[in-house]
Structure formats: C-alpha cells, structure tokens
Amino acid sequence: MEYPESYELIFQAAGATDDVVIVHLTARSGAGGYPVYADETGIVRAEISERGEVRMQASGGHQVLGVPLLARPLSHGAAGPGTD
C-alpha cells in the first residue's frame, strides 16, 4: 500500500483562522495497522488510514487530543511507512 509522505491536519480554532499542523510519515504503525504521522516536534501524532480517517495519539501524559476537521494529503508516492 502506498501512503502520502505528509498531511496537513486542520483543526478548528476559536479565532478567525483554523490551526494547521503538517505531519510526516514515520516508521511506526498504530493500533489499527495504519501508518503513524508526526509533526517535527513529535508532539502531534496521528494514525491515518488510506481513507483519510484520523486517530490521534497521545505523545505525553495529560495531553488533550483534539480531532482534526480534515486530513489533507500533501504528497503521494511513499511506498509504505518510511523512516522517523
């Protein structure tokens, strides 16, 4: 299965514009067997299916996980999970 190399996760914000976080493919798989994507800090982590379904993953204690409004692929052509 080929997965995009990165996604934009779009979260609804209280202000006029939405929050956008870019996450990149990692070598990890989530509980559903789909690849895990993470931002540059490693704090925002999400398992994303081939249908664009998102399951957010906690990266630390006491983290409150928001659900993105949309996961938009930024690139295609990665042959399965890549590297961290």
Side-chain angles (χ1 to χ4, degrees), residues 30-53:
Y34 299 109
V36 171
Y37 290 78
D39 72 341
E40 290 180 7
T41 67
I43 294 171
V44 177
R45 296 182 192 168
E47 177 183 7
I48 305 176
S49 77
E50 71 272 0
R51 294 180 304 274
E53 300 164 323

Side-chain angles (χ1 to χ4, degrees), residues 4-9 21-28 35-48 54-59 74 83-84:
E5 293 175 19
S6 54
Y7 277 90
E8 282 183 332
L9 299 181
V21 177
I22 296 175
V23 292
H24 304 281
L25 187 63
T26 71
R28 297 182 190 106
V36 171
Y37 290 78
D39 72 341
E40 290 180 7
T41 67
I43 294 171
V44 177
R45 296 182 192 168
E47 177 183 7
I48 305 176
V54 179
R55 179 184 297 161
M56 298 302 293
Q57 296 185 337
S59 61
L74 293 177
T83 59
D84 280 80

Side-chain angles (χ1 to χ4, degrees), residues 51-78:
R51 294 180 304 274
E53 300 164 323
V54 179
R55 179 184 297 161
M56 298 302 293
Q57 296 185 337
S59 61
H62 306 289
Q63 188 175 14
V64 177
L65 302 175
V67 178
L69 297 172
L70 178 67
R72 182 177 19 227
L74 293 177
S75 61
H76 295 282

